[in-house]
Amino acid sequence: MYMKIAVLNHSGNVGKTTLCETLLQPRLDGSEIIRVETINSDGSNEEKLSAKQYDEIIKRIDDVDCTIIDIGSSNIENFLVQMNEYQGSHDLIDFFLVPVTTQDKQQRDSIATINNLLDMGVEEDRIKVVYNFTEKDAGIEEQFAIFLSDKTSKKIAGNSPAIVYNNNIFNLLHKSGLKYKEVYEDQRDLRSLIRSAESNEARQELSNLRAVKMLMNGFNSDLDIAFENLKF
């Protein structure tokens, strides 16, 4: 599949990177993530590009057929400026995914992000919305009332929205010292391994991994529905 997706929002803390790694990359075979963020801002050694390196970004998106561009909030304004200066470069990106969360500021910033894209000439059908960190015990209309009060944003979100629910999986992964990708890709028969474990310590470790895996399976079922509703 040949596809380029940019994930962006003027607000931080809307889960852009997590969505890139859990919602998008596992469902887009062979995809790679380009991280556009202030270099070493998170203390990691992972390669990042600054929005000021826009020429390099638009070269790199063609390194593989499917590219996900994770644009950090510290770089989004410069990224949009550069995209506007490189006239027509927004057409190199097939879809722009805007995560929106329940906080008032994040909802207003999500509306502003969508309006910025429209002002630059991005068509409505190329803008996608995902409701992130959503609670299952309250309606979308109640949780995202500010965002949905904007007619254009509501239209773009559509009647079958992509919804990612709050889930304890990330707390459990952190507590267990496990990484999402490692657990996601672990296809071992944990039940058999637990039964044949030679020590209580090994059995407990495998049992903990099985619990994490089961919670992740439920989370991924919700992500499957969200991804389908994005209609890429």
Side-chain angles (χ1 to χ4, degrees), residues 6-12 14 16 71-77 80 97-101 105-114 130 147:
V7 183
L8 72 172
N9 194 307
H10 281 293
S11 271
V14 294
K16 292 183 293 289
I71 304 165
S73 58
S74 65
N75 272 236
I76 182 173
E77 289 188 14
L80 293 176
L97 178 62
V98 180
V100 53
T101 57
K105 179 182 183 301
Q106 275 72 9
Q107 292 190 52
R108 293 190 178 94
D109 284 348
S110 299
I111 295 170
T113 303
I114 289 172
V130 57
F147 181 78

Side-chain angles (χ1 to χ4, degrees), residues 105-160:
K105 179 182 183 301
Q106 275 72 9
Q107 292 190 52
R108 293 190 178 94
D109 284 348
S110 299
I111 295 170
T113 303
I114 289 172
N115 287 333
N116 286 161
L117 292 171
L118 293 171
D119 289 344
M120 296 178 69
V122 178
E123 298 86 354
E124 287 185 6
D125 61 359
R126 291 169 56 206
I127 303 173
K128 304 291 183 178
V129 170
V130 57
Y131 296 118
N132 202 19
F133 304 133
T134 307
E135 299 296 342
K136 288 190 173 182
D137 59 358
I140 293 296
E141 294 78 8
E142 177 185 348
Q143 295 181 72
F144 297 94
I146 294 173
F147 181 78
L148 292 171
S149 68
D150 181 77
K151 292 181 179 179
T152 302
S153 297
K154 182 176 182 179
K155 178 183 176 184
I156 288 172
N159 295 323
S160 298

Side-chain angles (χ1 to χ4, degrees), residues 57-72:
I57 294 168
I58 60 178
K59 291 176 188 175
R60 288 276 302 276
I61 63 174
D62 290 321
D63 284 354
V64 295
D65 286 351
C66 189
T67 307
I68 303 161
I69 309 169
D70 176 12
I71 304 165

Side-chain angles (χ1 to χ4, degrees), residues 11-211:
S11 271
N13 302 314
V14 294
K16 292 183 293 289
T17 297
T18 300
L19 289 173
C20 289
E21 295 175 349
T22 62
L23 174 65
L24 299 180
Q25 191 172 36
R27 291 164 183 81
L28 295 168
D29 292 342
S31 60
E32 291 189 4
I33 299 173
I34 296 175
R35 305 196 188 280
V36 181
E37 185 57 274
T38 303
I39 296 175
N40 294 329
S41 64
D42 61 0
S44 75
N45 294 321
E46 202 168 53
E47 183 182 6
K48 302 178 183 70
L49 295 172
S50 166
K52 294 180 180 179
Q53 298 171 280
Y54 191 79
D55 57 336
E56 183 65 21
I57 294 168
I58 60 178
K59 291 176 188 175
R60 288 276 302 276
I61 63 174
D62 290 321
D63 284 354
V64 295
D65 286 351
C66 189
T67 307
I68 303 161
I69 309 169
D70 176 12
I71 304 165
S73 58
S74 65
N75 272 236
I76 182 173
E77 289 188 14
N78 205 343
F79 184 89
L80 293 176
V81 168
Q82 295 287 330
M83 188 164 67
N84 198 43
E85 289 183 354
Y86 283 73
Q87 193 170 19
S89 64
H90 67 75
D91 287 327
L92 301 177
I93 300 171
D94 297 291
F95 297 103
F96 295 83
L97 178 62
V98 180
V100 53
T101 57
T102 58
Q103 296 89 345
D104 290 359
K105 179 182 183 301
Q106 275 72 9
Q107 292 190 52
R108 293 190 178 94
D109 284 348
S110 299
I111 295 170
T113 303
I114 289 172
N115 287 333
N116 286 161
L117 292 171
L118 293 171
D119 289 344
M120 296 178 69
V122 178
E123 298 86 354
E124 287 185 6
D125 61 359
R126 291 169 56 206
I127 303 173
K128 304 291 183 178
V129 170
V130 57
Y131 296 118
N132 202 19
F133 304 133
T134 307
E135 299 296 342
K136 288 190 173 182
D137 59 358
I140 293 296
E141 294 78 8
E142 177 185 348
Q143 295 181 72
F144 297 94
I146 294 173
F147 181 78
L148 292 171
S149 68
D150 181 77
K151 292 181 179 179
T152 302
S153 297
K154 182 176 182 179
K155 178 183 176 184
I156 288 172
N159 295 323
S160 298
I163 304 171
V164 175
Y165 294 103
N166 254 331
N167 194 288
N168 195 43
I169 182 64
F170 299 103
N171 290 331
L172 195 55
L173 284 167
H174 179 73
K175 181 179 178 181
S176 304
L178 298 168
K179 294 184 181 295
Y180 187 94
K181 186 175 182 180
E182 293 173 356
V183 178
Y184 181 84
E185 294 178 349
D186 191 338
Q187 300 300 319
R188 293 178 298 168
D189 183 349
L190 295 176
R191 183 179 182 184
S192 296
L193 289 173
I194 290 170
R195 291 183 175 186
S196 61
E198 296 182 356
S199 68
N200 283 336
E201 184 179 12
R203 186 175 295 112
Q204 288 173 1
E205 184 176 335
L206 289 165
S207 181
N208 179 63
L209 177 58
R210 181 180 62 183

